Amino acid sequence: MIKPIKFVSPAEAVKVIKSGDHVHLSSVASAPQCLIQAMCDRGRNHELKNVFIHHLHTEGPAPYAAPEFEGIFQLDSFFVGSNVRKVTQSGYADYIPIFLSETQKLYRDGVLPCNVAMIQVSTPDKHGYVSLGTSVDATLAAVECAEYVIAVINKHVPRSFGDAFIHINDIDIFVEDDKPLEEAIFKEPNEIEAAIGRNCAALIEDGACLQMGIGAIPNAVLSQLGNHKDLGIHTEMFADGVLPLVESGVINGRNKSIDKGKMVSTFLMGSQKVYDFIDNNPGVAMMDVGYTNDPYIIAKNDKVTAINSALQVDITGQVCADSLGTTFYSGVGGQIDFMYGAARSKGGKAILAMPSATNKGISKIAPVLSPGAGVVTTRAHIHYFVTEYGAVDLYGRTLQERARLIISVAHPDHREALDKAAFERFGPHHQYIKNITK
């Protein structure tokens, strides 16, 4: 039996939140902004205190993290997105370091309580099912574990398949809001990013199963794949860059061992075109993050090619991707999930790609990582390293060989200083290795 839906106002819906509760928000484009505003109104009225907020990255405003709500709301996010970066760095919000694959376990294993899950979903079908649309990730686990589930039914939320469906009988409170989803529009790659894209694309084989994030470098890679054949997608997220390759038949998933013919993801961020693309599309499976990011699931496909980025890399191949020194900038995310999964895949390639220097000309390749920098991907996990100056394969290489190879794709302005640092670290034998392996 399908229970009737009774809509209430956002203000009425958030009355179930109590002081001391833990509240989960659905991610990225699906952050329920009308509920967020209503919750913050209660905070301004001094009706709440010590409410813990959890989410992955969200698009749009995050007012609950503002200094004015100190002692009222405490954001402990699973990833430091751009909209909460400054408040996290200043100490008004905090961050839980965790592999993206394990975010769902925090709820399912009871490490974190979930008193209220605030989500945004599609309109119900005739069987009473709504879809989580662009945000399955850890949100499905939060829905399963929450004492109260508040759902914003929004006609703009796409009806995605996979693990995205939940029944309205499992929802406690309904709100209606038809505000369009937040969109993310990305700039065209610059010359450096385009060069990195070409160098990465040269490593991608026909029949490969791709994972890459969003932004200029992934878009640059995708733009170079027009002549490839039979590519698949198993990723944590994708954006507009895949659409032309799907339309041209380059991405078809026919070589995948699991989820054959389907594009697998756990959340999305892009333009309205992406949201329209996944709507009622059985070729896209929006899955639980415990599935998409499980390295052992990832490795079931052959030729998994994972392309991820970094903030800094040292000359032995240690990768910092979450902080600038002691200052947190993003998070662990799914990088190690996919780097390890790709490495385990038959014919797989774990690729780390980044510009050789910052916009200010500072080398992103360093003799040692900055004090306080977090090692997200260890030197044992990285295989291919790519900059605008080329691609090198570090797998099976010694520390001295790695240093030589990494320095070879550093910015020319910094190679001499890096080579001097390597000489001081490894002794004269480093120079010998450099000479005999040119």
Side-chain angles (χ1 to χ4, degrees):
M1 180 178 177
I2 302 173
K3 69 179 181 182
I5 294 177
K6 178 185 177 183
F7 290 110
V8 300
S9 68
E12 183 68 23
V14 299
K15 286 182 179 179
V16 297
I17 301 173
K18 307 181 301 298
S19 293
D21 274 356
H22 288 249
V23 177
H24 177 86
L25 305 179
S26 52
S27 308
V28 199
S30 291
Q33 291 296 336
C34 66
L35 297 179
I36 290 171
Q37 292 300 328
M39 179 182 67
C40 288
D41 288 342
R42 286 196 66 196
R44 291 188 186 95
N45 293 333
H46 306 289
E47 298 175 26
L48 296 169
K49 61 181 180 179
N50 299 327
V51 173
F52 295 86
I53 310 296
H54 307 291
H55 57 65
L56 280 73
H57 171 65
T58 61
E59 287 290 292
Y64 44 83
E68 68 172 296
F69 290 116
E70 187 175 15
I72 298 173
F73 301 119
Q74 171 61 41
L75 171 61
D76 293 339
S77 66
F78 306 147
F79 188 87
V80 183
S82 57
N83 59 347
V84 297
R85 187 167 293 143
K86 288 184 178 179
V87 291
T88 303
Q89 292 171 351
S90 62
Y92 288 103
D94 211 342
Y95 158 63
I96 299 173
I98 189 164
F99 298 127
L100 194 63
S101 59
E102 295 184 358
T103 53
Q104 46 81 30
K105 288 186 67 178
L106 294 177
Y107 295 131
R108 289 179 171 136
D109 289 357
V111 177
L112 286 178
C114 185
N115 303 101
V116 181
M118 302 205 304
I119 64 176
Q120 190 161 210
V121 300
S122 69
T123 53
D125 63 20
K126 65 181 181 180
H127 302 292
Y129 286 93
V130 295
S131 174
L132 291 168
T134 63
S135 173
V136 177
D137 46 74
T139 298
L140 183 61
V143 169
E144 293 171 0
C145 300
E147 296 171 18
Y148 292 97
V149 177
I150 308 174
V152 176
I153 292 182
N154 186 334
K155 67 180 182 182
H156 296 290
V157 174
R159 185 173 180 268
S160 63
F161 294 158
D163 289 336
F165 288 118
I166 58 176
H167 200 274
I168 60 173
N169 288 357
D170 296 321
I171 297 170
D172 300 290
I173 303 169
F174 297 90
V175 173
E176 193 170 26
D177 183 28
D178 287 336
K179 181 181 178 182
L181 300 185
E182 295 280 345
E183 294 184 74
I185 309 299
F186 304 98
K187 296 179 180 178
E188 288 295 312
N190 59 30
E191 290 184 11
I192 292 174
E193 293 158 344
I196 295 170
R198 289 190 295 271
N199 292 335
C200 288
L203 296 172
I204 297 173
E205 302 175 31
D206 288 342
C209 184
L210 303 181
Q211 175 267 329
M212 57 185 71
I214 58 171
I217 291 177
N219 285 343
V221 176
L222 291 165
S223 69
Q224 300 292 322
L225 300 179
N227 293 322
H228 279 64
K229 297 178 181 178
D230 300 331
L231 299 179
I233 297 288
H234 182 112
T235 186
E236 64 191 24
M237 60 190 301
F238 65 81
D240 295 61
V242 303
L243 300 186
L245 296 175
V246 176
E247 293 166 2
S248 66
V250 171
I251 292 176
N252 54 45
R254 64 169 56 119
N255 280 14
K256 293 178 70 176
S257 301
I258 59 171
D259 304 309
K260 188 178 291 289
K262 295 183 184 295
M263 298 171 61
V264 173
S265 187
T266 193
F267 62 91
L268 301 174
M269 184 166 70
S271 73
Q272 186 61 44
K273 290 181 181 179
V274 175
Y275 309 149
D276 292 341
F277 171 72
I278 71 167
D279 184 45
N280 278 310
N281 185 349
V284 177
M286 297 297 294
M287 304 298 288
D288 189 294
V289 72
Y291 178 85
T292 60
N293 284 54
D294 183 333
Y296 299 96
I297 296 292
I298 293 166
K300 288 184 177 181
N301 281 309
D302 293 344
K303 293 185 180 180
V304 174
T305 304
I307 302 174
N308 288 273
S309 194
L311 297 171
Q312 189 181 48
V313 172
D314 76 7
I315 58 174
T316 70
Q318 291 191 115
V319 178
C320 174
D322 64 352
S323 67
L324 297 168
T326 57
T327 303
F328 279 90
Y329 188 83
S330 56
V332 172
Q335 181 170 124
I336 198 69
D337 294 333
F338 276 94
M339 294 289 274
Y340 185 50
R344 290 181 58 87
S345 164
K346 182 179 179 181
K349 295 179 179 179
I351 302 171
L352 197 289
M354 72 176 192
S356 63
T358 68
N359 293 334
K360 296 181 179 179
I362 300 170
S363 180
K364 297 183 71 170
I365 298 170
V368 294
L369 296 180
S370 300
V375 178
V376 169
T377 296
T378 73
R379 58 173 71 96
H381 285 99
I382 186 172
H383 286 197
Y384 290 89
F385 179 58
V386 179
T387 73
E388 69 270 30
Y389 293 103
V392 292
D393 185 0
L394 306 179
Y395 189 58
R397 299 288 189 168
T398 67
L399 292 173
Q400 295 181 39
E401 289 174 320
R402 284 163 166 260
R404 177 189 62 80
L405 290 168
I406 291 170
I407 293 169
S408 75
V409 294
H411 193 285
D413 291 350
H414 300 286
R415 290 179 192 173
E416 184 176 350
L418 289 167
D419 199 53
K420 181 181 178 182
F423 181 87
E424 292 172 351
R425 181 169 183 174
F426 298 118
H429 184 61
H430 168 70
Q431 195 68 27
Y432 172 71
I433 289 288
K434 177 182 177 183
N435 290 334
I436 68 171
T437 56
K438 278 185 178 179

